[in-house]
Amino acid sequence: MVSDPPLLTIGRRPPPPPPGSLDPFREVPTGWLADAMSRRGAMDAAIKPLTPEQPALARVLGLAWTCWCGPNDNLALLAAVALAEPGEVVVAAAEGFEGAAMAGDLTAGMARNRGAAAIVTDGMVRDRDGIAAAALPVFCRGVTPNSCVRSGPGTVGLPIVAGGVRVMAGDLVLGDCDGVVVVPRDRLDEGALPGGIEAEV
């Protein structure tokens, strides 16, 4: 007999990287970062900042705090937000589902109050004006008024695939108006990306 999966599975948060590990990336465009990783590492091209007209909300840099919600469900996202630490980017995998929003202004406000740097999802959001007012960078596939359910199952802090890119808790997430690039944690532990960060156009 097949048993029901647990509503939530929560993994351990990795230890923080060495101090200053993110400093080399603070002014780097996503395109340069992708070039330094053999022209790879970017999420699906549809995933863009929700409010690109506001520069402060169209760029983010931080370490990933992951969650997998599955389509049309945000239980794991709410758990990830509740457990987020200051400066982390909550990265939510929704399998690209476009039928309903997995986050809105209330979720964005809770994430901001936790000190999260941003929410990045390969799914949809709602309440665009309210999210902008919450002053939290949000990167998503698009906007729809539909809302999702909150029933699980889901995971927090475990490896996910979001926008076609594998993301683990502690990976570096850099987003700007071009999209979102993910750098694996083990490359951060090296202190810099091999070959440096250089633009190749």
Side-chain angles (χ1 to χ4, degrees), residues 26-191:
R26 297 207 179 276
E27 304 299 326
V28 173
T30 50
W32 291 15
L33 196 55
D35 285 347
M37 295 193 301
S38 303
R39 301 177 178 87
R40 292 294 183 269
M43 290 186 181
D44 188 295
I47 301 168
K48 293 288 194 293
L50 178 65
T51 51
E53 71 280 2
Q54 298 185 45
L57 302 182
R59 182 173 175 86
V60 65
L61 173 67
L63 299 180
W65 181 231
T66 58
C67 62
W68 170 75
C69 301
N72 198 37
D73 193 285
N74 71 351
L75 179 67
L77 173 58
L78 295 176
V81 166
L83 296 170
E85 294 190 349
E88 289 184 326
V89 178
V90 178
V91 183
E95 300 181 9
F97 183 69
E98 298 183 358
M102 63 183 313
D105 53 359
L106 295 180
T107 306
M110 290 186 291
R112 178 206 59 205
N113 291 342
R114 288 290 302 176
I119 292 174
V120 172
T121 178
D122 63 356
M124 308 289 279
V125 301
R126 59 182 284 175
D127 309 322
R128 184 184 189 277
D129 291 344
I131 291 176
L136 181 82
V138 170
F139 289 69
C140 60
R141 184 172 297 277
V143 180
T144 176
N146 292 337
S147 60
C148 64
V149 298
R150 189 178 305 164
S151 58
T155 68
V156 176
L158 299 179
I160 62 171
V161 175
V165 175
R166 179 178 168 85
V167 189
M168 298 180 65
D171 287 351
L172 180 142
V173 180
L174 175 64
D176 61 19
C177 284
D178 284 352
V180 178
V181 173
V182 178
V183 180
R185 169 62 181 269
D186 58 359
R187 302 188 76 171
L188 288 182
D189 291 339
E190 296 170 3

